[in-house]
Amino acid sequence: FEDVDPFMNIILYEELARVGSGGLIGAGWIHYVAVSPVLLFGSEYLKEQMRPVIEARKFASLAISEPTAGSDVRKIQCTAKLDESGENYIVNGEKYWITGGM
């Protein structure tokens, strides 16, 4: 990411828009927003967890906004804990918007 010129994104989006691929732009933006913080600031463990998303085998979403916190990540109260099977998360709390949530 250090070598990426911000104008490269503008050129990319303009070229994608020329072929009428708004859905592709939206999907790319969602993954950019959800994955970039992990790649830039996450531990090696978290980066490895994002590998299936980067390889387009899984989707990523971003869920920050909460009724009592807005978009202030320091005030997030929602939790997610792995269930006994080790395959699913139990989410406790509320979210307003989930970018890329399906």
Side-chain angles (χ1 to χ4, degrees):
F1 284 109
E2 297 86 26
D3 299 332
V4 175
D5 180 342
F7 290 104
M8 289 174 63
N9 282 334
I10 295 170
I11 294 167
L12 172 66
Y13 295 146
E14 285 183 354
E15 292 301 315
L16 288 172
R18 287 178 195 261
V19 295
S21 58
L24 182 60
I25 293 171
W29 182 81
I30 291 165
H31 285 276
Y32 173 76
V33 168
V35 175
S36 295
V38 175
L39 294 180
L40 291 171
F41 307 109
S43 66
E44 290 304 315
Y45 172 78
L46 287 176
K47 291 176 185 178
E48 190 60 32
Q49 293 297 307
M50 292 303 267
R51 181 178 298 278
V53 175
I54 295 166
E55 294 172 347
R57 293 185 287 122
K58 288 189 174 182
F59 292 103
S61 298
L62 183 67
I64 295 176
S65 299
E66 295 184 355
T68 59
S71 295
D72 185 348
V73 295
R74 295 173 297 169
K75 295 181 182 178
I76 289 176
Q77 297 177 357
C78 189
T79 61
K81 295 187 180 184
L82 203 55
D83 70 3
E84 293 177 9
S85 73
E87 295 182 15
N88 302 296
Y89 282 89
I90 298 172
V91 180
N92 291 305
E94 295 180 63
K95 293 292 180 183
Y96 274 150
W97 303 281
I98 300 176
T99 303
M102 296 177 203

